[in-house]
Amino acid sequence: MKILVPVKRVVDYNVKVRVKADGSGVDIANVKMSMNPFDEIGVEEAVRLKEAAVATEVVAVSCGLAASQETLRAAMAMGADRGILVETDAELQPLAVAKLLKAVCDKEQPQLVICGKQAIDDDANQTGQMLAALAGWPQATFASKVSIADGKASVMREIDGGVETLSVTLPAVVTTDLRLNEPRYATLPNIMKAKKKPLETVKPADLGVDVAPRLATLKVSEPAQRKAGEMVADVAQLVDKLKNVAKVI
Amino acid sequence: MAILVIAEHDNQSLKAATLNTVGAAAQLGGEVHVLVAGAGCGAVGEAATKIAGVAKVLVCDAPHYEAQGAENVAELVKGLAGGYSHILAAATPAGKNMAPRVAALLDVAQISEIVAVEAPDTFVRPIYAGNALATVKSADAVKVITVRTTAFEAAGEGGAAAVESVPAAADLGLSALVSRELVKSERPELGAAKVIVAGGRGLGSAENFHGLLEPLADKLGAAIGASRAAVDAGYCPNDYQVGQTGKVVAPQLYIAVGVSGAIQHLAGMKDSKVIVAINKDPDAPIFQVADYGLVGDLFQVVPELTAAIG
């Protein structure tokens, strides 16, 4: 079975981004970029399925700037067999990415696609669901456990108030939640080996996909700042403030 | 044009998140319809007719909607979409699961977790874990939207909508629910609680987490929340998690105990009215958003606080 793992290059999760003064976006020039944390979990899960001899090949895919090659190399250093970069300078929104991934799926015919549940930059949480819809496949989002048997995937999902287990027919799209696994670190020998793995580059036009954005961003602004708080010396003072000043208890 | 709100329910009762979503729909200007898709969900349809501001309730009752799987419900919504300018769902796990599927079937963008309506085609939504707010304008014929429930007032009671039965779409048979385990809790629901007591890694163990926080939460009638660190350490179940990847809450009072205040956690609670932080590290980032901060040993402070609240 072949597994496709979409990965996204995003601002590192430890970076506190700043909004540009002209309100056109956030300033991501010269900040550290890395693989979206949820996608790392997706790569890890795919590699584990390969190690368990459930999968035969793991293909990492990324859509975006040429620099996304680094993200694909990182996925290959974790154990993906090869990479596909859909290279474009255009702003890609989730629907466009889902369409690009659908075109890649048509070509590669994977049995399973493992997406991260959301990217930590646009916080959209859409791409996996959209890909499933376009392909006409079932979806199992927010997965915390995945097992494959008899042409079906059994997926435990995190829902409001607990967990549920779904059985979905393959091919299917799974999106990862944080607790699915703990991604491995790439070792230096594996990072070196990853440089020799095949990386194919295609353009959206080669796939016949129109990636024009559907949503126009009018402005990006700072959220309202909270008023500076005050430190209290002890519990008595805290209770007094909550009762008599803030009046919340 | 009319607006369709997809109701969230468990076939017996309507989830509170639906009321906030109707609240957001009311700001769009247009007739609001509510879709209740389920199995044996007549009572939910009945409850939906009483929501203020709802003109019509569409009930689709069929066995293959019992688990409300995204595949079948999205197919149903796709068939109904023709008469609507907006389709709204709450930005809960259920809404986030289904709405993008609906949008892709309609070949339109989805607008995630809006926190404000500027115009019927212009919305504000947080990006980068709430560190920036983007104002986006949609040119699509149908706007598919998820609504951050804490950003909108819940619609009240007093409506008298008509119920209309709608035919089911075909069962796609792609997905089956095997089991569902819900954590039972006597406490108020995290998303709707007026007061939340949240614990982090500083509590040190599951025994301390429950032993220290529960008496305080009981006194305050509060829900209990947690940071990701506390969940990962196994102190509590993961649906307690507050943050970018957990629940987004905005209670009147949020008491953070032994929580450092990572960006991802702040994204889930910084719209709370009053934030109290109790932490032994005076440099913890949580103090930057706290209205009242107390530097001290939580093992001493929390029992004292519990005792002091009469």
Side-chain angles (χ1 to χ4, degrees), chain A residues 38 99 121-124 126 129 137 139 141 160-161 163-165 167 214 216 218-219 221 226 230 232, chain B residues 71 96-97 101 107 110 112 125 128-129 133 135 137 176 178-181 183 244-245 270 272 291 293:
Chain A
F38 291 100
K99 287 179 177 179
D121 51 1
D122 64 9
D123 285 333
Q126 301 175 12
Q129 293 90 315
W137 294 349
Q139 64 189 50
T141 51
D160 228 351
V163 292
E164 69 177 23
T165 303
S167 170
R214 299 297 189 84
L218 303 183
K219 68 167 188 219
S221 54
R226 290 189 73 93
E230 56 181 301
V232 293
Chain B
E71 296 82 358
K96 290 174 176 179
N97 183 37
R101 190 163 180 118
D107 192 27
Q110 194 231 179
S112 297
R125 58 176 303 264
Y128 288 93
L133 291 172
T135 306
K137 187 179 166 102
V178 178
S179 64
R180 194 173 275 174
E181 291 160 49
V183 180
Q244 184 186 19
T245 58
K270 67 184 168 56
S272 305
D291 298 280

Side-chain angles (χ1 to χ4, degrees), chain A residues 95 130, chain B residues 98-110 144:
Chain A
L95 183 63
M130 288 183 152
Chain B
M98 177 166 37
R101 190 163 180 118
V102 171
L105 291 176
L106 297 171
D107 192 27
V108 299
Q110 194 231 179
V144 179

Side-chain angles (χ1 to χ4, degrees), chain B residues 49-110:
Chain B
T49 61
K50 299 193 175 72
I51 306 172
V54 173
K56 191 156 80 174
V57 176
L58 309 177
V59 175
C60 187
D61 202 324
H64 58 278
Y65 297 127
E66 186 175 4
Q68 295 164 57
E71 296 82 358
N72 280 328
V73 177
E75 199 63 26
L76 172 70
V77 176
K78 180 191 168 193
L80 296 171
Y84 295 98
S85 58
H86 296 76
I87 298 174
L88 273 62
T92 54
K96 290 174 176 179
N97 183 37
M98 177 166 37
R101 190 163 180 118
V102 171
L105 291 176
L106 297 171
D107 192 27
V108 299
Q110 194 231 179

Side-chain angles (χ1 to χ4, degrees), chain B residues 241-287:
Chain B
Q241 187 180 321
V242 172
Q244 184 186 19
T245 58
K247 289 201 177 66
V248 177
V249 298
Q252 294 286 304
L253 173 62
Y254 189 91
I255 304 180
V257 178
V259 174
S260 65
I263 299 173
Q264 293 80 3
H265 185 75
L266 300 184
M269 45 67 81
K270 67 184 168 56
D271 293 325
S272 305
K273 185 159 171 270
V274 175
I275 298 173
V276 171
I278 299 169
N279 206 301
K280 64 171 188 241
D281 174 10
D283 297 324
I286 190 78
F287 286 120

Side-chain angles (χ1 to χ4, degrees), chain A residues 3 12 20 31 35 37 41 46 66 76 89 92 108-109 129 151 157 177 181 190 216 220 223 226-227 238:
Chain A
I3 302 180
D12 189 86
K20 286 187 200 163
V31 303
M35 192 192 300
I41 294 169
M76 290 189 267
D89 295 339
L92 293 178
E108 295 283 340
Q109 300 284 320
Q129 293 90 315
R157 310 177 53 229
D177 215 321
N181 60 47
N190 285 344
V220 175
R226 290 189 73 93
K227 241 183 19 236
L238 175 62

Side-chain angles (χ1 to χ4, degrees), chain B residues 137-203:
Chain B
K137 187 179 166 102
S138 165
D140 287 319
V142 184
K143 279 101 183 140
V144 179
I145 296 167
T146 61
V147 174
R148 180 171 286 189
T149 53
T150 55
F152 294 90
E153 292 280 333
E157 283 199 15
V163 175
E164 184 185 309
S165 201
V166 294
D171 184 0
L172 298 174
L174 293 168
S175 170
L177 178 67
V178 178
S179 64
R180 194 173 275 174
E181 291 160 49
L182 300 179
V183 180
K184 291 208 172 49
S185 173
E186 304 288 308
R187 297 183 188 286
E189 209 185 325
L190 197 50
K194 294 242 180 318
V195 180
I196 293 174
V197 176
R201 201 200 298 272
L203 283 151

